[in-house]
């Protein structure tokens, strides 16, 4: 079977939504969970568009809420594939909000979702390979590789770390934490 290649441009998706009072948290700002839900939707759309398959969310990397989003602001999310594996894709998402009266735009969030393509039987489906067309795409691809390696390193540390050893317990207590076992 001949390998299929696609450009990152072919994966790009943009959505915009006006933030309503019904989407607020107890402090009157737009609820982070609502923004995460929109991010999951655009990650799905981007991954499905690129792969031509139904896709599921496998993981969400660090989500930092940089600036609050106000009622009445227009939120725009942009997503594109940054990296591909055999059946997985790393989707980069950037979230900005715009005060539609003043025109002021602020960066609110960036995150990376790992999505997995599925076939009609629910098994992992092969995704197209990437064609990188500029240095920015190469940078994003390489950064995704580094995040993937760091994630694996962290898993390996968790497997080997002995949190019950006297040395580990002393290290924890040195942080002004009491341990009463």
């Amino acid at each position: 079977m001949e390998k299929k290649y696609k450009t990152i441009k072919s994966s790009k998706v943009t959505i915009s939504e006006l933030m309503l009072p019904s989407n607020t948290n107890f402090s009157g700002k737009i609820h982070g969970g609502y923004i995460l839900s929109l991010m999951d939707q655009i990650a799905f759309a981007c991954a499905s568009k690129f792969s031509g398959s139904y896709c599921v969310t496998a993981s969400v990397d660090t989500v930092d809420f940089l600036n609050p989003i106000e009622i009445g602001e227009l939120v725009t999310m942009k997503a594109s594939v940054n990296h591909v594996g055999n059946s997985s894709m790393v989707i980069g998402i950037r979230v900005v909000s715009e005060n539609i009266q003043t025109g002021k735009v602020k960066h609110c969030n960036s995150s990376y979702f790992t999505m997995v393509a599925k076939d009609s039987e629910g098994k992992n489906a092969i995704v197209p390979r990437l064609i990188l067309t500029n240095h920015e795409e190469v940078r994003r691809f390489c950064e995704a590789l580094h995040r993937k390696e760091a994630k694996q390193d962290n898993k390996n540390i968790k497997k080997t770390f002995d949190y019950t050893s006297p040395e580990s317990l002393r290290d924890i207590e040195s942080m002004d934490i009491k341990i009463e076992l």
Side-chain angles (χ1 to χ4, degrees):
M1 184 177 189
E2 187 177 326
K3 286 185 181 179
K4 188 174 184 180
Y5 289 82
K6 286 180 131 181
T7 63
I8 288 174
K9 184 178 180 181
S10 73
S11 75
K12 291 187 176 192
V13 176
T14 301
I15 62 171
S16 294
E17 184 172 323
L18 186 65
M19 294 296 106
L20 304 174
S22 59
N23 302 322
T24 59
N25 59 23
F26 293 109
S27 66
K29 308 297 182 194
I30 301 304
H31 195 286
Y34 183 70
I35 298 302
L36 283 170
S37 173
L38 292 176
M39 292 171 74
D40 193 50
Q41 289 176 38
I42 196 170
F44 168 82
C46 178
S48 295
K49 180 180 178 183
F50 181 79
S51 68
S53 300
Y54 176 78
C55 294
V56 296
T57 306
S59 71
V60 179
D61 285 346
T62 303
V63 179
D64 293 320
F65 293 95
L66 306 172
N67 288 295
I69 300 171
E70 307 291 338
I71 296 169
E73 289 185 333
L74 184 65
V75 168
T76 300
M77 297 185 182
K78 294 182 179 188
S80 63
V81 172
N82 288 359
H83 181 273
V84 296
N86 290 322
S87 60
S88 66
M89 296 153 281
V90 175
I91 310 300
I93 303 169
R94 181 177 174 88
V95 181
V96 297
S97 69
E98 178 183 2
N99 180 313
I100 56 176
Q101 294 170 332
T102 66
K104 182 180 178 191
V105 175
K106 59 187 173 187
H107 178 206
C108 298
N109 189 309
S110 289
S111 189
Y112 304 94
F113 281 52
T114 300
M115 306 297 287
V116 176
K118 298 292 185 175
D119 65 17
S120 60
E121 296 172 5
K123 295 180 181 172
N124 289 0
I126 301 296
V127 299
R129 311 315 298 156
L130 281 175
I131 300 170
L132 304 176
T133 61
N134 60 53
H135 290 292
E136 180 69 9
E137 292 175 355
V138 171
R139 179 187 65 78
R140 288 181 178 171
F141 181 89
C142 291
E143 286 178 355
L145 276 178
H146 291 300
R147 281 190 305 278
K148 185 176 179 180
E149 290 168 3
K151 200 176 199 181
Q152 187 58 47
D153 289 346
N154 192 32
K155 283 181 184 178
N156 292 337
I157 289 169
K158 285 180 182 177
K159 288 179 185 176
T160 60
F161 181 72
D162 180 7
Y163 62 89
T164 63
S165 73
E167 182 180 272
S168 294
L169 295 174
R170 274 193 305 277
D171 287 347
I172 293 169
E173 286 179 327
S174 73
M175 296 176 214
D176 200 20
I177 303 295
K178 289 184 181 180
I179 299 175
E180 298 176 353
L181 301 175

